[in-house]
Amino acid sequence: MVIVLQSSYLNSLGLSGNDLYVDDRLCRPNISSTEVVFRFPLDTCGTAKEMINGFVSYTNNVRASPSQSGEITYQSLYLLQVGCRMEPDTIVQIFYKAKELVNANITGMGRFNASIAFYTSRNFTQQIYDSPYEVNLNQQLFVQVKLTRSDESLDLFLDTCVASPNPNDFKNRSYDLLRNGCPRDSTYLSYTNGVDQYARFSFRAFKFLQTHAYVHLQCKVIICPDNDYNSRCRKGCQYRRKRSLDSSYNTNTVTLGPIKLRGQKPVAGHGVKESEKSME
């Protein structure tokens, strides 16, 4: 969370940067001649977290007690409540500039972030960084998707995973591994999904690789509160989707690849992407 207040505005209220504090008084701002800046992780400085309708909301308060004869008075003359409401898919930076707000509230939207990667075994202890990742036909491949920032109050659910030879097109000439939480490939094996901060699964390299130089994976991810037992994360496989996902559980995608059949020559001019990519 980043909160910036102009020094000229504070001076107009008879305040200075030294008078300001947040809910944890030990968290102090950086003060320059023009701005006062609070910058701290969402889980520190007394920030309160609350689950509301599938969203995670973080709030904190900027307060001021003007100094008098070198002593601090604890009667607050200024209150600015800052909120960050996190969407259940990815994360972006939030930046606020407060100019002429006294006893006001400001709330912005953010997104969680997740990453996807191959691992060498079902123990998921050794990540594979090779790009492209060369595999044998019918080799078992192990994949993990996880939240970038650990938070035990959140669960991650894989809704759909699709393979495609084109990293920019997962609709035409694609192959479903998972659709609406339901396995579509006979070799797809889920180890955990929808009950933790990460999801893990495996599948076997398929004949798709014999006709295409490279194959990429794309997975749609949903993030839910761990204590919501009626969330999409807990409903698992849904063969028939009567309507689109509830707005409280918006989806985004993570992409992994490419995979290359061992010994097969690549197609000239085919672009190779990194073996791990975060949500965009």
Side-chain angles (χ1 to χ4, degrees):
M1 186 176 288
V2 180
I3 310 166
V4 180
L5 299 104
Q6 291 185 346
S7 298
S8 58
Y9 164 60
L10 293 173
N11 293 337
S12 70
L13 300 177
L15 300 171
S16 72
N18 292 321
D19 300 327
L20 300 185
Y21 57 94
V22 290
D23 286 346
D24 183 347
R25 287 178 175 267
L26 296 179
C27 293
R28 307 301 300 169
N30 292 319
I31 303 172
S32 70
S33 59
T34 58
E35 294 179 330
V36 177
V37 182
F38 286 92
R39 185 190 304 270
F40 49 86
L42 290 174
D43 57 352
T44 62
C45 293
T47 305
K49 181 175 69 174
E50 185 178 9
M51 300 284 186
I52 304 176
N53 297 327
F55 292 83
V56 184
S57 293
Y58 299 89
T59 57
N60 209 317
N61 298 283
V62 179
R63 308 173 189 272
S65 295
S67 301
Q68 294 181 351
S69 303
E71 296 182 359
I72 295 294
T73 61
Y74 290 94
Q75 181 180 1
S76 178
L77 299 180
Y78 178 84
L79 173 63
L80 174 66
Q81 184 180 70
V82 181
C84 184
R85 186 186 187 207
M86 305 298 287
E87 291 185 353
D89 43 18
T90 59
I91 193 168
V92 292
Q93 292 183 346
I94 302 281
F95 188 93
Y96 297 101
K97 264 202 172 180
K99 292 186 177 179
E100 300 195 4
L101 296 171
V102 178
N103 297 330
N105 300 331
I106 50 178
T107 302
M109 293 298 296
R111 294 173 181 268
F112 286 103
N113 195 11
S115 62
I116 182 171
F118 286 115
Y119 283 78
T120 57
S121 72
R122 62 180 298 170
N123 293 329
F124 294 93
T125 55
Q126 185 176 350
Q127 184 176 330
I128 294 172
Y129 295 95
D130 297 345
S131 182
Y133 177 27
E134 293 194 4
V135 301
N136 297 314
L137 192 65
N138 206 37
Q139 177 180 334
Q140 192 170 13
L141 310 181
F142 302 90
V143 182
Q144 175 178 269
V145 183
K146 68 175 182 177
L147 288 175
T148 303
R149 178 184 289 275
S150 178
D151 190 332
E152 294 183 355
S153 66
L154 301 175
D155 292 333
L156 184 147
F157 178 72
L158 292 181
D159 180 78
T160 297
C161 288
V162 180
S164 171
N166 186 345
N168 300 311
D169 182 5
F170 286 88
K171 292 184 179 180
N172 301 308
R173 293 193 304 163
S174 62
Y175 179 82
D176 285 359
L177 291 174
L178 184 73
R179 175 70 60 177
N180 300 331
C182 305
R184 292 292 184 90
D185 179 83
S186 61
T187 69
Y188 180 92
L189 178 60
S190 176
Y191 298 107
T192 181
N193 191 20
V195 295
D196 214 323
Q197 305 169 61
Y198 55 83
R200 293 170 173 173
F201 67 93
S202 68
F203 66 98
R204 294 191 178 276
F206 33 80
K207 293 182 179 180
F208 206 51
L209 283 164
Q210 289 183 318
T211 54
H212 299 89
Y214 296 99
V215 172
H216 301 257
L217 297 181
Q218 184 183 81
C219 294
K220 290 185 178 180
V221 177
I222 304 170
I223 297 172
C224 313
D226 179 69
N227 60 358
D228 184 357
Y229 294 95
N230 293 316
S231 71
R232 176 68 187 94
C233 294
R234 298 302 178 94
K235 293 179 180 178
C237 171
Q238 293 187 329
Y239 282 103
R240 294 183 179 180
R241 182 68 57 80
K242 295 182 179 180
R243 57 183 177 84
S244 60
L245 286 171
D246 186 274
S247 59
S248 296
Y249 302 102
N250 296 326
T251 66
N252 211 310
T253 59
V254 285
T255 305
L256 178 64
I259 314 167
K260 177 181 178 293
L261 196 62
R262 193 180 304 277
Q264 185 173 359
K265 294 182 179 180
V267 176
H270 188 100
V272 177
K273 300 181 72 177
E274 295 181 359
S275 62
E276 180 176 2
K277 183 178 180 182
S278 295
M279 279 187 180
E280 297 178 341

